[in-house]
Amino acid sequence: MGEFVKKTMMGYREVPGGHSDPECTHVILTDAEYRKLLRQISDAEQIARTAKHNAERDVEEAEREADYKVNQAVSQAKQEIKKWREALEAEQAENNYQRSLNENLLRISRERANADRKLKPKKGHTGYRVVLSVEKEHRYGTGKYMRRVLLWETVIQSPYGVDLPEELVRKQVTEELTCEGATENSLIHRIGIDEFYPGSYAAMMKNRNKRPWYEIPEETDEPEEHKEENIMLLPHFRANFKTGYWEAVFSHTRPLGVVPWDMRG
């Protein structure tokens, strides 16, 4: 074991308190002790280097594994995207094909209907005819909030036979009548309707007045800016098996205008 000493003018003097003695300035080791200490320091440094190397290796392995997992996830995501894109394209192609079939079916049905009803030109006539238009009392609301209003109900015969499915006819006829709104090119505009509202009268009143219909005073049933408009409400449909054609039945707020000759039933 090393000696704890104090350096003096005459050399080194051992201190009685050992390592804890405040006068201790040096430690004298034997050659064996010194070599042992060097080995311990070297071993500690080697352990530190090994630990650092292992830590760096673990970090690199973790980074490689993370990169691999990310690349795998990206690859799988790309494969999934490709699969869904192909499925979507196939679905779109099928939809386009079915739409084309439906369009051809509707076109053929319209031309046959025009020929059967002697509407000319067979290929150019819209195939729509106004069957009747009558004023009716319409009720909406419940209980003490029940309200009455006079609306007009119009029946338009479509060019589509009752053998065609309802969902196909409903979509097609609504689009053809309104052209997504009562524009100058729409059929309803030709018969004097200014606007199309895709809902009920009660819903329209609530929407236009921004408050529930049961809170609207009866004398102001309709906002002043809309009183002169002829507004068509969402149509419902019926299959007329006597004539063999689907008919659109809808209410509107004012009488029809002058119905063109080519649209009279």
Side-chain angles (χ1 to χ4, degrees):
M1 185 175 181
E3 296 181 17
F4 300 96
V5 298
K6 176 182 179 181
K7 187 175 182 180
T8 65
M9 296 292 293
M10 302 299 293
Y12 294 96
R13 177 176 59 82
E14 186 175 359
V15 294
H19 177 264
S20 59
D21 195 306
E23 292 188 352
C24 178
T25 59
H26 291 74
V27 178
I28 299 175
L29 301 175
T30 64
D31 181 68
E33 290 173 336
Y34 178 68
R35 292 179 182 277
K36 181 180 179 181
L37 179 61
L38 289 179
R39 284 196 303 271
Q40 290 175 342
I41 294 173
S42 177
D43 291 345
E45 290 176 344
Q46 182 60 38
I47 291 173
R49 286 193 296 270
T50 301
K52 180 181 178 182
H53 173 75
N54 291 339
E56 291 175 346
R57 183 192 61 197
D58 291 343
V59 169
E60 290 176 357
E61 289 180 355
E63 289 177 346
R64 284 196 299 270
E65 184 177 358
D67 289 341
Y68 174 77
K69 289 182 178 179
V70 169
N71 291 333
Q72 284 291 100
V74 170
S75 177
Q76 291 177 359
K78 288 182 177 179
Q79 291 176 3
E80 287 294 318
I81 292 172
K82 181 181 178 182
K83 182 178 70 175
W84 284 110
R85 182 178 288 116
E86 290 174 349
L88 178 60
E89 290 174 353
E91 182 69 20
Q92 289 175 338
E94 177 65 19
N95 288 340
N96 291 336
Y97 175 70
Q98 292 297 332
R99 187 180 300 111
S100 176
L101 289 180
N102 288 340
E103 289 174 354
N104 288 331
L105 178 63
L106 292 170
R107 177 183 57 79
I108 293 171
S109 176
R110 182 169 57 249
E111 291 177 2
R112 286 179 177 174
N114 289 346
D116 291 342
R117 294 176 296 170
K118 297 180 173 56
L119 299 180
K120 297 181 180 181
K122 181 182 72 173
K123 293 186 177 181
H125 197 287
T126 64
Y128 286 92
R129 299 195 301 183
V130 178
V131 177
L132 63 89
S133 187
V134 59
E135 190 175 35
K136 286 188 175 183
E137 183 181 89
H138 174 72
R139 297 185 180 188
Y140 63 102
T142 57
K144 66 178 182 179
Y145 298 117
M146 180 68 69
R147 308 291 291 277
R148 295 179 177 85
V149 63
L150 286 176
L151 298 177
W152 285 80
E153 183 179 89
T154 293
V155 179
I156 292 185
Q157 184 186 76
S158 80
Y160 304 118
V162 294
D163 293 332
L164 291 175
E166 172 271 333
E167 62 273 12
L168 175 62
V169 172
R170 178 182 297 273
K171 179 177 183 296
Q172 187 70 18
V173 170
T174 302
E175 289 179 354
E176 290 180 350
L177 285 177
T178 65
C179 288
E180 299 182 357
T183 65
E184 293 183 358
N185 296 324
S186 66
L187 292 175
I188 58 174
H189 187 271
R190 293 187 63 203
I191 58 177
I193 292 178
D194 303 303
E195 188 177 343
F196 170 60
Y197 182 81
S200 66
Y201 184 81
M204 181 183 73
M205 293 302 299
K206 177 181 177 181
N207 180 60
R208 288 174 178 266
N209 287 276
K210 306 302 182 185
R211 52 182 172 156
W213 50 263
Y214 53 78
E215 294 182 0
I216 302 170
E218 192 159 355
E219 63 273 12
T220 58
D221 255 359
E222 197 169 342
E224 189 64 34
E225 64 269 26
H226 300 299
K227 282 186 177 293
E228 300 305 319
E229 290 182 340
N230 193 2
I231 303 171
M232 170 186 171
L233 304 175
L234 187 68
H236 58 275
F237 290 80
R238 68 185 185 192
N240 189 329
F241 291 97
K242 183 176 181 179
T243 63
Y245 297 101
W246 281 97
E247 295 174 343
V249 184
F250 57 88
S251 297
H252 46 100
T253 57
R254 297 289 177 268
L256 295 180
V258 178
V259 177
W261 282 101
D262 65 323
M263 292 187 67
R264 298 188 184 187

